[in-house]
Amino acid sequence: QLGTPCCFASPRVHARTGHGFIQLAGEAADAPATMGACCAVREQDADEAPQMMRQARSFNQVLAERGERHRTYTQSESLEQEWEIVSHSVEADELARLRALHEAVQDLDSHPACSRVPLNRQAQTLLRFLRGRDGSIAAAEVMFRNCLEWRANFCFDEKIESWRNELKQGTSKRARLFLTYGTDSDMCLDQFGVPVWLMRLSVSDPAGMVREVGRDIMLVNSLHRIDAMHSHLRCAMFRNGKMVRGCVQIIDVGDYGKHGVPKWWQRMFDGFQVGKEAFKIFDLNFPETTRKIFIVRTGSITMRIYRMVQPMVPPRTQKKMKLCGWDAAEWADDLQAEMPSGCTVPGFLTNDSDAALASARPLGGLVPTGGVVDEARLEAALRCSKSTVLTKPREDAATEPSADHSVHARRLLIPFPIILVVVIAAALSGARALSLMDFGIPGDV
């Protein structure tokens, strides 16, 4: 069944590789931000496609913009390329299971969630669900079918596109609040050209954001970011000619003292309360989002609690996660190993000096009652989001001793051990998706 062109990274070179598939090269920035936008619109629906599909950049459009001569790529051809890429990225046994899952969901072609984007025929998408259920074909099929029902009932595509446009315009109260006080960012590109996802829970104010914008749009904003990440992963697959198993995620939970945000304990507990319901949605509908998770700047109590709950964590999840204390030396080398040659990560993630901690971004902060955003702060946040973070830290950031390190080490903690065991056990057991929950406690008693 022929359709409109595939909508991911532009092909500069259409060369047969040693494995026989077409390796496509392009720019990460060319990828649309909608999961499954590749092979986006079925031909018979093209005229009725929503605006988000019409705005997606196709292979053919990008090639035309660059003045390159090419033929038209159909949906069927791009799906064939995807299956060839995936088949050469997995072992024979897993490929056999994947083909069995593909066969089991062929009746979903007319499902509302697949009517324009053929999620049930995308090898990479189906493989994520298969791995999300540890290779069980039956369990993966149930998970995938339930996901499609949720996407259709939630009006996922429409809500994500509407929110994306609202953020882009940046004029509504809630968009301005997220742009100013949001604590997630694409830090830099990893070795596969996929954005590294930085989550600074340490400076977030989830209760304040719920008060001003409501839970519904907070969920949509989180889904928007997860959806965009899966778009980047698909783009990297076509660009590199091989599967990328997920993104690198950094969850910063440290109490930065004078360089952070007040009421750390209360904000972390609020994060659990706000995020616990959303987490279930992430885990059930977005498997295999991450390949490596760095939880940084935790304290000694957190480390002890993690050891207590570690037997409850699936082995595959344990391999993905690295729970680190306060010192950057615990994770800096492993994090750098995920980056391309010559990439320098931000200073606050490579050393513990006072100047490095002061340079940490995004700033986050307590959301003002009434939601009135200071224009200067909004402009500063926008400049930060647009600027590159691939620069080296200042010399003083690398050499100045931290005046506040001892304060973090001596900080007395409110005794919440039972709550923390529950929070960490729940979060770690489902860490194959993304969580808004608290992972860390600074300092020692």
Side-chain angles (χ1 to χ4, degrees):
Q1 183 180 36
L2 299 182
T4 54
C6 181
C7 296
F8 263 96
S10 59
R12 289 184 191 165
V13 180
H14 310 295
R16 290 278 172 181
T17 69
H19 294 305
F21 55 78
I22 299 177
Q23 183 170 351
L24 305 174
E27 318 291 342
D30 288 337
T34 307
M35 172 185 164
C38 178
C39 319
V41 185
R42 296 181 190 275
E43 188 172 35
Q44 64 269 30
D45 295 332
D47 293 337
E48 301 175 3
Q51 183 65 21
M52 70 171 183
M53 296 302 180
R54 293 198 297 270
Q55 290 177 341
R57 302 183 72 193
S58 71
F59 281 136
N60 300 323
Q61 289 169 333
V62 173
L63 287 170
E65 290 171 5
R66 294 179 176 177
E68 299 182 34
R69 297 179 62 85
H70 64 286
R71 66 177 180 82
T72 299
Y73 287 86
T74 68
Q75 180 188 89
S76 296
E77 289 172 330
S78 63
L79 284 170
E80 182 181 352
Q81 293 170 16
E82 178 174 346
W83 274 95
E84 289 200 52
I85 291 172
V86 171
S87 69
H88 292 288
S89 302
V90 301
E91 298 295 330
D93 178 67
E94 188 172 38
L95 179 59
R97 292 174 180 271
L98 177 61
R99 293 193 183 281
L101 175 60
H102 177 240
E103 183 65 26
V105 298
Q106 287 306 290
D107 62 302
L108 295 172
D109 275 354
S110 60
H111 192 283
C114 295
S115 61
R116 292 185 172 88
V117 180
L119 300 176
N120 66 316
R121 293 196 281 142
Q122 293 177 340
Q124 186 256 14
T125 298
L126 293 176
L127 181 60
R128 291 195 297 104
F129 282 84
L130 184 65
R131 289 175 171 174
R133 287 296 177 261
D134 297 319
S136 170
I137 300 168
E141 180 185 352
V142 171
M143 184 186 191
F144 183 72
R145 289 179 181 273
N146 289 342
C147 174
L148 295 190
E149 287 299 308
W150 170 79
R151 289 175 72 99
N153 294 332
F154 187 77
C155 299
F156 179 85
D157 292 331
E158 293 82 357
K159 287 183 178 180
I160 297 303
E161 181 62 15
S162 176
W163 177 237
R164 183 174 294 118
N165 289 335
E166 187 173 336
L167 278 177
K168 183 177 180 179
Q169 293 172 3
T171 56
S172 69
K173 169 187 169 180
R174 59 190 189 178
R176 288 163 60 86
L177 284 171
F178 274 104
L179 292 171
T180 305
Y181 294 98
T183 56
D184 289 20
S185 70
D186 294 337
M187 191 182 78
C188 59
L189 299 181
D190 68 11
Q191 58 185 314
F192 302 110
V194 175
V196 175
W197 191 336
L198 172 63
M199 298 177 66
R200 295 202 69 214
L201 300 185
S202 54
V203 292
S204 65
D205 181 14
M209 196 66 81
V210 166
R211 181 191 68 236
E212 298 302 325
V213 304
R215 290 178 180 268
D216 289 348
I217 198 60
M218 287 193 68
L219 172 60
V220 170
N221 185 67
S222 296
L223 293 172
H224 150 256
R225 292 201 63 91
I226 298 174
D227 182 60
M229 183 56 71
H230 280 286
S231 177
H232 287 300
L233 290 169
R234 287 183 60 79
C235 176
M237 174 184 64
F238 283 105
R239 186 174 60 249
N240 298 321
K242 62 180 180 179
M243 280 279 297
V244 179
R245 293 204 60 154
C247 70
V248 174
Q249 186 181 20
I250 304 168
I251 304 176
D252 178 5
V253 296
D255 184 344
Y256 281 64
K258 67 180 181 180
H259 301 305
V261 177
K263 303 179 180 179
W264 186 92
W265 260 109
Q266 183 60 53
R267 290 184 296 102
M268 293 299 99
F269 184 73
D270 291 342
F272 168 61
Q273 293 295 103
V274 171
K276 59 184 179 181
E277 292 302 321
F279 175 73
K280 297 176 183 177
I281 296 175
F282 304 155
D283 191 38
L284 292 173
N285 297 285
F286 297 92
E288 294 293 301
T289 299
T290 56
R291 73 173 186 271
K292 188 79 172 183
I293 305 170
F294 295 89
I295 305 169
V296 304
R297 302 207 182 279
T298 67
S300 60
I301 293 180
T302 301
M303 301 296 285
R304 289 196 291 270
I305 292 175
Y306 173 69
R307 295 187 186 99
M308 291 169 56
V309 303
Q310 194 171 15
M312 302 165 58
V313 182
R316 269 183 60 227
T317 300
Q318 291 187 36
K319 292 179 181 179
K320 289 184 178 183
M321 303 190 66
K322 184 175 178 64
L323 190 70
C324 308
W326 180 263
D327 297 333
E330 294 185 34
W331 68 80
D333 289 344
D334 289 340
L335 179 58
Q336 192 66 56
E338 298 289 342
M339 306 302 168
S341 177
C343 173
T344 303
V345 301
F348 78 97
L349 291 174
T350 59
N351 66 82
D352 311 311
S353 71
D354 193 62
L357 300 183
S359 70
R361 297 294 185 275
L363 286 172
L366 298 178
V367 178
T369 301
V372 179
V373 173
D374 179 75
E375 292 297 330
R377 175 153 188 165
L378 173 59
E379 289 298 322
L382 291 175
R383 285 196 302 272
C384 179
S385 66
K386 293 177 182 178
S387 63
T388 177
V389 295
L390 302 182
T391 56
K392 294 182 179 181
R394 300 192 310 270
E395 288 298 320
D396 59 345
T399 57
E400 182 181 342
S402 173
D404 285 350
H405 196 163
S406 60
V407 175
H408 291 285
R410 295 195 303 266
R411 188 181 299 274
L412 296 179
L413 302 179
I414 302 172
F416 282 155
I418 297 178
I419 293 175
L420 287 166
V421 168
V422 173
V423 172
I424 294 177
L428 295 183
S429 66
R432 61 173 61 94
L434 301 177
S435 173
L436 300 177
M437 299 179 185
D438 163 36
F439 282 88
I441 312 169
D444 299 292
V445 175

